[in-house]
Amino acid sequence: MNPTDGPPAEAPGAGAVQERRLHPVTPLRRAWAPLAVGAGWAVHDPDGVYRRVTDLAVETLLLGGAGLVLAAALYGFLSWWFTHFAVTGTELRIRTGLLFRRTAHIRLDRLQAVDVNQPLLARVAGVAKLKMDVIGTDSKDELAYLSERDATALRAELLARAAGFAPETARDVGEAPVANLVHVPPKQLALSLLLTGTTWVLLVAALAVPPLLWLATHSIGLLIGTGLPLLGAAGASSVGKFVKQYDWRVGASPDGLRLDHGLLDKEHETVPPGRVQTVRIVEPLLWRRRGWVRVELDVAGSSNSVLVPVAPRELAVSVIARILPGVTVPEPDELSRPPARARWCLPVWWRGHGLAVTDAVFTARRGLLCRTLSLVPHAKVQSVRLTQGPWERRNGVAGLHVETGANTSVAARLRDAAEAELLLQAQADRSRTGRRTARPDRWMAT
Amino acid sequence: MKGTSMSAASAGGEPVPGGTAVEPEPAWRGLPRAVLTLRRLLLVLWMVPLAVAVGLLLGLLAGPAWAAFAALPAGLLLWGWPLLGRNWRSWRYAERADDLLIQRGVLWREETVVPYGRMQLVEVESGPLQRKFGLASLQLHTAAAATDATLPGLDPREAERLRDRLTELGEARSAGL
């Protein structure tokens, strides 16, 4: 097969669609697959493997090893050779597969976010993965690997085309300038993780549970079986988070929001304007004295959900004002609480619930110790639902649920029943009209 | 009979103005009586053989006194019969100018509002038993998977009319994500 042999250009005047290959270092990554299978087998059944390996003669072993490496190299090379991608005026096309052909057409106007990720080894090799977040894409649809320069250039091109720039100019638009909004200092990040309850609970559990089990059963398997996962979880929620969220930067550019972070693995995400479905402000109990919050966001099709891991509330509010234009975050005393009779439905915790609806956003708060304030712009509401159980009806309260395209549902529970009924009707109207003022999907198109 | 139809959500479509601030009480429609008949039939079909089987097996193997356990499925049948009726009466839907309302539930009441512009897919489905009773169920999908807007049984003509109308309105008011 001729490498430059692409499909014919689809539209006259659009110019030939140029198919490209991934970076030549890619086969090395794919070559791991057969070796990984062998390693997995060895870990899964160490005794069996040892027995079989010792049974074999040295020549057979060497020959087998060489064959495996060769097969792996061939597999890696072929899968690289048969992977092509091309950017056309409307889509990113990825063709892969030697035996089973697979072509992914990813529509640019459906683009929700673009990620450029660099695992540690990829950083050493100077390459990066590029992934387009569109609803329904999975890990097969990422371009791994491209050289760093190509990845950023391609990202800029994809974003320019998705934004609605003309095809001729899209390639020359280049990187949009970035204005830095937030940078989380490592010290603050470390302190915030130390002030997180779950880390300590997991650590105490990891140190306390296995010895107790040991005293009770004297079984070494049980000791390892419980101790390791608990320690792993504690590590992942503290050290793992620190490594992942180190050097967290949030920037604003005409292309949208930029999120850059990572100590070992670098991740760069770009969320174009108007893609954010939900924003949550989370206030853990121990952070409240310092006035810190965590901001989370939901973008359809994107796996990342953190916007700012830790920041003072004022800063967080100003960032939210940037990404949801026209939205002001309601102050805690602006939220209306459930009626007092709601205490019979949810003792004590009913005080944590609250609701505020403005012209632009539906805001609901829940939680007493760890408070979560969720904001959904009216334009992002997919459907509205009112629910009422028998006990709630007895107490004259009902819950209102608002569903968004990122498969999240925001609930305002324990509202007065009559109020909830009115809210349901009003919310349906608002989410319909909210769309009129929203920006178009192709945000630079005029 | 199984039909699906896509409403292609065009990007940045203009919503059609015309939604008034005050909506009159919408025209509610209930589900056809065949839904209730079908559900009651299913209840009988499950509970009667279960009661007979329990009664016979326990009566023969463990003694006649144990056969009293057959009263359990029988009781469920008697209890479920009116419940199904109440549940059937609670289901109703209404087409408004810009959205579809669905109400259901007796004890756990639920009311869903789906704007036409958010509809991604309308699905009409009819299984063999449903077909026997002249029924078809209709399901709306939006971009949110949590949106649960299903009408479990409709007259096939009504289901098709609703499907075509919803698709048409969905195209006119298309809003996507």
Side-chain angles (χ1 to χ4, degrees):
Chain A
M1 187 177 167
N2 188 346
T4 53
D5 182 16
E10 34 193 30
V17 174
Q18 202 194 345
E19 287 218 326
R20 285 185 265 172
R21 280 228 176 77
L22 298 171
H23 194 268
V25 83
T26 311
L28 289 179
R29 166 226 187 197
R30 299 278 168 89
W32 284 109
L35 294 180
V37 170
W41 178 52
V43 168
H44 178 72
D45 183 16
D47 294 341
V49 171
Y50 181 74
R51 209 169 339 101
R52 292 211 185 166
V53 167
T54 43
D55 283 352
L56 294 171
V58 180
E59 295 83 29
T60 339
L61 208 62
L62 280 178
L63 220 63
L68 197 68
V69 168
L70 209 68
L74 191 69
Y75 168 72
F77 175 76
L78 285 177
S79 71
W80 169 73
W81 185 257
F82 284 101
T83 302
H84 301 264
F85 69 94
V87 186
T88 71
T90 52
E91 61 189 23
L92 169 69
R93 209 158 48 201
I94 308 174
R95 282 199 301 139
T96 55
L98 170 59
L99 295 176
F100 299 93
R101 306 307 295 266
R102 177 175 192 274
T103 311
H105 296 251
I106 303 171
R107 277 182 61 179
L108 292 178
D109 56 343
R110 291 282 190 266
L111 179 73
Q112 300 293 324
V114 187
D115 310 331
V116 173
N117 294 343
Q118 285 185 289
L120 187 59
L121 279 175
R123 274 174 77 190
V124 175
V127 293
K129 283 191 236 193
L130 186 131
K131 181 164 185 265
M132 305 242 312
D133 291 327
V134 176
I135 295 176
T137 54
D138 54 22
S139 58
K140 276 188 225 153
D141 302 316
E142 61 183 20
L143 292 172
Y145 289 90
L146 298 165
S147 76
E148 250 168 276
R149 209 164 31 112
D150 281 356
T152 37
L154 187 60
R155 174 176 70 180
E157 188 189 337
L158 288 173
L159 283 166
R161 290 197 185 213
F165 282 108
E168 309 83 59
T169 56
R171 198 160 295 177
D172 310 320
V173 170
E175 282 285 277
V178 182
N180 204 8
L181 294 181
V182 183
H183 176 231
V184 180
K187 219 170 106 188
Q188 191 183 13
L189 181 63
L191 196 57
S192 77
L193 288 171
L194 286 179
L195 288 175
T196 308
T198 35
T199 314
W200 291 106
V201 170
L202 280 168
L203 199 64
V204 167
L207 294 179
V209 171
L212 286 177
L213 280 173
W214 172 253
L215 286 178
T217 61
H218 287 278
S219 142
I220 192 88
L222 199 62
L223 186 71
I224 295 172
T226 54
L228 278 184
L230 280 171
L231 272 178
S237 79
S238 53
V239 180
K241 260 195 189 160
F242 182 80
V243 168
K244 190 171 154 47
Q245 301 180 338
Y246 180 82
D247 194 26
W248 192 285
R249 281 165 201 278
V250 182
S253 79
D255 277 345
L257 200 64
R258 302 245 169 172
L259 305 176
D260 306 303
H261 57 101
L263 178 63
L264 303 175
D265 301 353
K266 286 266 182 207
E267 292 180 31
H268 313 273
E269 187 174 23
T270 308
V271 182
R275 261 61 171 181
V276 176
Q277 306 271 340
T278 325
V279 176
R280 284 184 300 276
I281 304 179
V282 186
E283 261 180 297
L285 180 66
L286 297 174
W287 294 12
R288 218 172 288 167
R289 250 192 64 215
R290 296 170 180 270
W292 290 352
V293 296
R294 177 171 69 236
V295 187
E296 301 177 343
L297 85 173
D298 288 317
V299 175
S302 165
S303 52
N304 175 43
S305 69
V306 180
L307 174 60
V308 186
V310 55
R313 192 185 161 89
E314 304 80 58
L315 187 58
V317 167
S318 73
V319 171
I320 291 173
R322 287 293 287 270
I323 61 167
L324 300 176
V327 168
T328 44
V329 179
E331 292 300 315
D333 52 356
E334 286 177 62
L335 296 166
S336 79
R337 281 220 193 137
R341 58 182 184 276
R343 71 165 61 106
W344 302 112
C345 289
L346 192 72
V348 185
W349 262 266
W350 70 276
R351 288 170 176 280
H353 287 267
L355 171 75
V357 183
T358 68
D359 289 340
V361 72
F362 178 92
T363 316
R365 187 184 62 187
R366 67 183 161 79
L368 202 58
L369 299 179
C370 181
R371 284 198 214 126
T372 307
L373 187 76
S374 308
L375 297 106
V376 188
H378 294 315
K380 296 296 176 195
V381 174
Q382 295 282 335
S383 68
V384 198
R385 195 157 47 98
L386 181 135
T387 56
Q388 193 180 40
W391 188 248
E392 283 173 309
R393 179 155 48 244
R394 235 193 98 113
N395 291 296
V397 294
L400 194 71
H401 302 253
V402 163
E403 272 119 26
T404 72
N407 276 342
T408 47
S409 177
V410 172
R413 289 186 57 203
L414 305 173
R415 307 309 304 175
D416 177 75
E419 184 202 353
E421 191 71 39
L422 287 177
L423 274 172
L424 178 74
Q425 306 296 334
Q427 190 59 41
D429 277 348
R430 271 192 296 262
S431 57
R432 196 181 64 240
T433 51
R435 184 71 191 185
R436 280 177 215 168
T437 50
R439 296 174 81 169
D441 277 354
R442 303 202 148 211
W443 61 97
M444 283 295 193
T446 44
Chain B
M1 151 186 47
K2 174 168 178 166
T4 53
S5 62
M6 275 289 294
S7 101
S10 72
E14 279 294 308
V16 177
T20 46
V22 186
E23 293 250 3
E25 178 66 12
W28 290 103
R29 288 154 181 264
L31 300 186
R33 195 164 176 93
V35 177
L36 179 62
T37 322
L38 174 62
R39 288 186 166 178
R40 281 186 170 159
L41 180 75
L42 279 174
L43 182 74
V44 171
L45 280 180
W46 276 104
M47 287 308 157
V48 169
L50 196 65
V52 172
V54 167
L56 277 180
L57 275 178
L58 286 179
L60 290 177
L61 296 176
W66 290 90
F69 272 99
L72 220 64
L76 277 178
L77 175 64
L78 288 181
W79 183 59
W81 189 271
L83 276 194
L84 284 179
R86 279 170 67 189
N87 183 273
W88 170 72
R89 273 191 298 279
S90 75
W91 277 89
R92 54 181 194 165
Y93 66 95
E95 299 158 68
R96 295 198 304 182
D98 297 284
D99 40 36
L100 185 81
L101 300 183
I102 298 177
Q103 254 184 27
R104 66 167 178 279
V106 182
L107 281 180
W108 276 271
R109 221 164 57 81
E110 223 177 297
E111 189 173 345
T112 308
V113 185
V114 187
Y116 296 134
R118 300 300 187 169
M119 240 168 276
Q120 301 277 335
L121 176 79
V122 186
E123 201 177 317
V124 177
E125 205 178 332
S126 182
L129 210 60
Q130 275 184 317
R131 218 157 35 226
K132 204 97 199 149
F133 281 78
L135 288 174
S137 57
L138 182 125
Q139 193 176 3
L140 308 181
H141 297 270
T142 67
T147 303
D148 176 26
T150 312
L151 291 169
L154 289 172
D155 184 62
R157 271 184 314 248
E158 164 73 359
E160 264 168 48
R161 182 195 69 79
L162 205 56
R163 180 193 69 197
D164 293 344
R165 191 176 135 75
L166 293 178
T167 316
E168 191 184 307
L169 288 168
E171 257 159 35
R173 291 161 171 69
S174 170
L177 273 180

Short mmCIF file of all heavy atoms in Angstrom, two decimals, chain A residues 401-437:
data_model
loop_
_atom_site.label_atom_id
_atom_site.label_comp_id
_atom_site.label_asym_id
_atom_site.label_seq_id
_atom_site.Cartn_x
_atom_site.Cartn_y
_atom_site.Cartn_z
N HIS A 401 -35.43 17.96 39.81
CA HIS A 401 -34.17 17.48 39.23
C HIS A 401 -33.99 18.10 37.86
O HIS A 401 -34.91 18.13 37.07
CB HIS A 401 -34.18 15.97 39.10
CG HIS A 401 -34.40 15.25 40.39
ND1 HIS A 401 -33.40 14.58 41.04
CD2 HIS A 401 -35.50 15.14 41.16
CE1 HIS A 401 -33.88 14.08 42.15
NE2 HIS A 401 -35.15 14.40 42.25
N VAL A 402 -32.78 18.54 37.60
CA VAL A 402 -32.46 19.17 36.33
C VAL A 402 -31.37 18.34 35.68
O VAL A 402 -30.34 18.09 36.29
CB VAL A 402 -31.98 20.61 36.60
CG1 VAL A 402 -31.27 21.17 35.40
CG2 VAL A 402 -33.14 21.49 37.00
N GLU A 403 -31.61 17.85 34.46
CA GLU A 403 -30.63 16.97 33.82
C GLU A 403 -29.88 17.70 32.71
O GLU A 403 -30.45 18.46 31.96
CB GLU A 403 -31.32 15.74 33.25
CG GLU A 403 -31.43 14.64 34.26
CD GLU A 403 -32.85 14.27 34.55
OE1 GLU A 403 -33.70 14.48 33.68
OE2 GLU A 403 -33.13 13.77 35.65
N THR A 404 -28.55 17.44 32.65
CA THR A 404 -27.74 18.11 31.63
C THR A 404 -27.13 17.10 30.68
O THR A 404 -27.17 15.90 30.92
CB THR A 404 -26.59 18.89 32.27
OG1 THR A 404 -25.63 17.96 32.75
CG2 THR A 404 -27.07 19.76 33.40
N GLY A 405 -26.53 17.59 29.61
CA GLY A 405 -25.98 16.73 28.58
C GLY A 405 -24.72 16.00 28.98
O GLY A 405 -24.25 15.14 28.25
N ALA A 406 -24.12 16.33 30.13
CA ALA A 406 -22.94 15.61 30.57
C ALA A 406 -23.33 14.45 31.47
O ALA A 406 -22.52 13.96 32.23
CB ALA A 406 -21.99 16.54 31.30
N ASN A 407 -24.58 14.03 31.37
CA ASN A 407 -25.11 12.94 32.18
C ASN A 407 -25.02 13.20 33.67
O ASN A 407 -24.77 12.30 34.45
CB ASN A 407 -24.38 11.63 31.86
CG ASN A 407 -24.99 10.97 30.66
OD1 ASN A 407 -26.12 11.31 30.30
ND2 ASN A 407 -24.29 10.06 30.05
N THR A 408 -25.18 14.44 34.03
CA THR A 408 -25.27 14.76 35.44
C THR A 408 -26.64 15.30 35.70
O THR A 408 -27.28 15.87 34.83
CB THR A 408 -24.23 15.79 35.86
OG1 THR A 408 -24.26 16.84 34.90
CG2 THR A 408 -22.86 15.19 35.94
N SER A 409 -27.07 15.10 36.92
CA SER A 409 -28.38 15.56 37.31
C SER A 409 -28.19 16.40 38.56
O SER A 409 -27.51 15.99 39.48
CB SER A 409 -29.26 14.34 37.58
OG SER A 409 -30.51 14.73 38.03
N VAL A 410 -28.75 17.60 38.56
CA VAL A 410 -28.64 18.47 39.73
C VAL A 410 -30.00 18.52 40.38
O VAL A 410 -31.01 18.74 39.71
CB VAL A 410 -28.18 19.88 39.32
CG1 VAL A 410 -28.25 20.82 40.50
CG2 VAL A 410 -26.76 19.82 38.79
N ALA A 411 -30.04 18.27 41.68
CA ALA A 411 -31.32 18.18 42.36
C ALA A 411 -31.46 19.28 43.39
O ALA A 411 -30.52 19.59 44.11
CB ALA A 411 -31.45 16.82 43.04
N ALA A 412 -32.64 19.88 43.41
CA ALA A 412 -33.01 20.79 44.50
C ALA A 412 -34.07 20.05 45.29
O ALA A 412 -35.21 19.99 44.87
CB ALA A 412 -33.54 22.10 43.95
N ARG A 413 -33.67 19.44 46.38
CA ARG A 413 -34.61 18.59 47.11
C ARG A 413 -35.36 19.39 48.16
O ARG A 413 -34.96 20.48 48.54
CB ARG A 413 -33.86 17.45 47.78
CG ARG A 413 -33.35 16.42 46.78
CD ARG A 413 -32.75 15.25 47.50
NE ARG A 413 -33.69 14.65 48.41
CZ ARG A 413 -33.36 13.92 49.48
NH1 ARG A 413 -32.11 13.70 49.73
NH2 ARG A 413 -34.28 13.42 50.27
N LEU A 414 -36.46 18.83 48.61
CA LEU A 414 -37.20 19.34 49.76
C LEU A 414 -37.74 20.75 49.56
O LEU A 414 -37.74 21.56 50.47
CB LEU A 414 -36.31 19.32 51.02
CG LEU A 414 -35.68 17.98 51.37
CD1 LEU A 414 -34.70 18.16 52.51
CD2 LEU A 414 -36.74 16.98 51.74
N ARG A 415 -38.17 21.07 48.35
CA ARG A 415 -38.82 22.36 48.15
C ARG A 415 -40.30 22.22 48.51
O ARG A 415 -40.86 21.12 48.46
CB ARG A 415 -38.72 22.82 46.68
CG ARG A 415 -37.35 22.84 46.11
CD ARG A 415 -36.38 23.57 46.95
NE ARG A 415 -36.77 24.94 47.23
CZ ARG A 415 -36.10 25.74 48.04
NH1 ARG A 415 -35.03 25.31 48.65
NH2 ARG A 415 -36.51 26.98 48.23
N ASP A 416 -40.91 23.34 48.83
CA ASP A 416 -42.35 23.35 49.08
C ASP A 416 -43.06 22.82 47.82
O ASP A 416 -42.70 23.19 46.70
CB ASP A 416 -42.77 24.79 49.37
CG ASP A 416 -44.26 24.89 49.58
OD1 ASP A 416 -44.72 24.48 50.64
OD2 ASP A 416 -44.94 25.35 48.64
N ALA A 417 -44.07 21.97 48.00
CA ALA A 417 -44.66 21.27 46.85
C ALA A 417 -45.22 22.23 45.81
O ALA A 417 -45.00 22.06 44.61
CB ALA A 417 -45.75 20.32 47.33
N ALA A 418 -45.94 23.27 46.26
CA ALA A 418 -46.53 24.21 45.31
C ALA A 418 -45.43 24.99 44.58
O ALA A 418 -45.50 25.23 43.37
CB ALA A 418 -47.46 25.16 46.04
N GLU A 419 -44.40 25.35 45.36
CA GLU A 419 -43.28 26.09 44.77
C GLU A 419 -42.58 25.22 43.71
O GLU A 419 -42.23 25.70 42.63
CB GLU A 419 -42.30 26.46 45.88
CG GLU A 419 -41.13 27.30 45.42
CD GLU A 419 -39.94 27.20 46.37
OE1 GLU A 419 -40.07 26.58 47.45
OE2 GLU A 419 -38.88 27.72 46.02
N ALA A 420 -42.42 23.94 44.03
CA ALA A 420 -41.74 23.04 43.10
C ALA A 420 -42.51 22.93 41.80
O ALA A 420 -41.92 22.89 40.72
CB ALA A 420 -41.56 21.67 43.74
N GLU A 421 -43.84 22.88 41.92
CA GLU A 421 -44.68 22.78 40.71
C GLU A 421 -44.47 24.01 39.82
O GLU A 421 -44.30 23.89 38.61
CB GLU A 421 -46.14 22.65 41.15
CG GLU A 421 -47.09 22.28 40.05
CD GLU A 421 -46.92 20.84 39.59
OE1 GLU A 421 -46.69 19.95 40.45
OE2 GLU A 421 -47.01 20.61 38.38
N LEU A 422 -44.45 25.19 40.45
CA LEU A 422 -44.21 26.42 39.69
C LEU A 422 -42.81 26.43 39.09
O LEU A 422 -42.61 26.82 37.94
CB LEU A 422 -44.38 27.64 40.60
CG LEU A 422 -45.81 27.97 41.00
CD1 LEU A 422 -45.83 29.14 41.97
CD2 LEU A 422 -46.63 28.30 39.76
N LEU A 423 -41.84 25.99 39.91
CA LEU A 423 -40.45 25.97 39.44
C LEU A 423 -40.30 25.08 38.22
O LEU A 423 -39.58 25.40 37.30
CB LEU A 423 -39.54 25.44 40.54
CG LEU A 423 -39.03 26.43 41.57
CD1 LEU A 423 -38.31 25.69 42.68
CD2 LEU A 423 -38.07 27.42 40.91
N LEU A 424 -41.02 23.94 38.24
CA LEU A 424 -40.94 22.99 37.13
C LEU A 424 -41.36 23.67 35.84
O LEU A 424 -40.67 23.58 34.82
CB LEU A 424 -41.84 21.79 37.43
CG LEU A 424 -41.93 20.72 36.36
CD1 LEU A 424 -40.65 19.91 36.34
CD2 LEU A 424 -43.11 19.81 36.60
N GLN A 425 -42.50 24.36 35.89
CA GLN A 425 -42.99 25.03 34.68
C GLN A 425 -42.03 26.15 34.26
O GLN A 425 -41.68 26.27 33.09
CB GLN A 425 -44.38 25.62 34.93
CG GLN A 425 -45.40 24.64 35.46
CD GLN A 425 -45.69 23.53 34.47
OE1 GLN A 425 -45.55 23.71 33.26
NE2 GLN A 425 -46.09 22.37 34.96
N ALA A 426 -41.62 26.93 35.26
CA ALA A 426 -40.77 28.08 34.95
C ALA A 426 -39.43 27.63 34.40
O ALA A 426 -38.88 28.23 33.47
CB ALA A 426 -40.58 28.92 36.20
N GLN A 427 -38.89 26.53 34.96
CA GLN A 427 -37.58 26.05 34.52
C GLN A 427 -37.65 25.58 33.08
O GLN A 427 -36.72 25.79 32.30
CB GLN A 427 -37.11 24.93 35.45
CG GLN A 427 -35.68 24.52 35.23
CD GLN A 427 -34.71 25.67 35.43
OE1 GLN A 427 -34.86 26.47 36.34
NE2 GLN A 427 -33.73 25.78 34.57
N ALA A 428 -38.74 24.92 32.72
CA ALA A 428 -38.88 24.45 31.34
C ALA A 428 -38.88 25.65 30.38
O ALA A 428 -38.23 25.61 29.33
CB ALA A 428 -40.18 23.66 31.19
N ASP A 429 -39.57 26.72 30.75
CA ASP A 429 -39.59 27.92 29.93
C ASP A 429 -38.20 28.54 29.83
O ASP A 429 -37.75 28.91 28.76
CB ASP A 429 -40.53 28.97 30.53
CG ASP A 429 -41.95 28.70 30.11
OD1 ASP A 429 -42.13 27.87 29.19
OD2 ASP A 429 -42.86 29.29 30.70
N ARG A 430 -37.54 28.64 31.00
CA ARG A 430 -36.24 29.30 31.03
C ARG A 430 -35.20 28.54 30.22
O ARG A 430 -34.39 29.13 29.52
CB ARG A 430 -35.76 29.44 32.47
CG ARG A 430 -36.20 30.70 33.14
CD ARG A 430 -35.45 30.88 34.42
NE ARG A 430 -35.77 29.80 35.34
CZ ARG A 430 -36.66 29.90 36.31
NH1 ARG A 430 -37.30 31.01 36.51
NH2 ARG A 430 -36.89 28.88 37.11
N SER A 431 -35.25 27.20 30.31
CA SER A 431 -34.22 26.46 29.58
C SER A 431 -34.48 26.54 28.08
O SER A 431 -33.57 26.39 27.28
CB SER A 431 -34.16 25.01 30.04
OG SER A 431 -35.41 24.42 29.90
N ARG A 432 -35.74 26.80 27.71
CA ARG A 432 -36.04 26.93 26.29
C ARG A 432 -35.55 28.28 25.77
O ARG A 432 -34.89 28.37 24.74
CB ARG A 432 -37.54 26.79 26.06
CG ARG A 432 -37.90 26.53 24.63
CD ARG A 432 -39.39 26.42 24.47
NE ARG A 432 -40.04 27.67 24.78
CZ ARG A 432 -40.93 27.82 25.72
NH1 ARG A 432 -41.28 26.82 26.47
NH2 ARG A 432 -41.48 28.99 25.93
N THR A 433 -35.85 29.32 26.51
CA THR A 433 -35.45 30.65 26.06
C THR A 433 -33.98 30.92 26.31
O THR A 433 -33.38 31.72 25.61
CB THR A 433 -36.28 31.73 26.78
OG1 THR A 433 -36.21 31.46 28.17
CG2 THR A 433 -37.71 31.72 26.31
N GLY A 434 -33.39 30.21 27.28
CA GLY A 434 -31.98 30.43 27.61
C GLY A 434 -31.09 30.16 26.42
O GLY A 434 -30.03 30.76 26.26
N ARG A 435 -31.54 29.26 25.56
CA ARG A 435 -30.73 28.87 24.42
C ARG A 435 -30.57 30.02 23.42
O ARG A 435 -29.60 30.09 22.69
CB ARG A 435 -31.41 27.67 23.75
CG ARG A 435 -30.66 27.07 22.61
CD ARG A 435 -29.43 26.34 23.08
NE ARG A 435 -28.60 26.01 21.94
CZ ARG A 435 -27.51 25.29 22.01
NH1 ARG A 435 -27.11 24.83 23.17
NH2 ARG A 435 -26.81 25.03 20.95
N ARG A 436 -31.55 30.90 23.37
CA ARG A 436 -31.49 31.97 22.36
C ARG A 436 -30.30 32.88 22.56
O ARG A 436 -29.71 33.36 21.61
CB ARG A 436 -32.76 32.83 22.45
CG ARG A 436 -33.90 32.17 21.76
CD ARG A 436 -35.14 32.98 21.93
NE ARG A 436 -36.27 32.07 22.01
CZ ARG A 436 -37.47 32.43 22.38
NH1 ARG A 436 -37.71 33.68 22.72
NH2 ARG A 436 -38.43 31.56 22.42
N THR A 437 -29.96 33.13 23.83
CA THR A 437 -28.87 34.06 24.09
C THR A 437 -27.52 33.35 24.12
O THR A 437 -26.49 33.99 24.20
CB THR A 437 -29.09 34.78 25.42
OG1 THR A 437 -29.38 33.78 26.40
CG2 THR A 437 -30.23 35.75 25.34
#
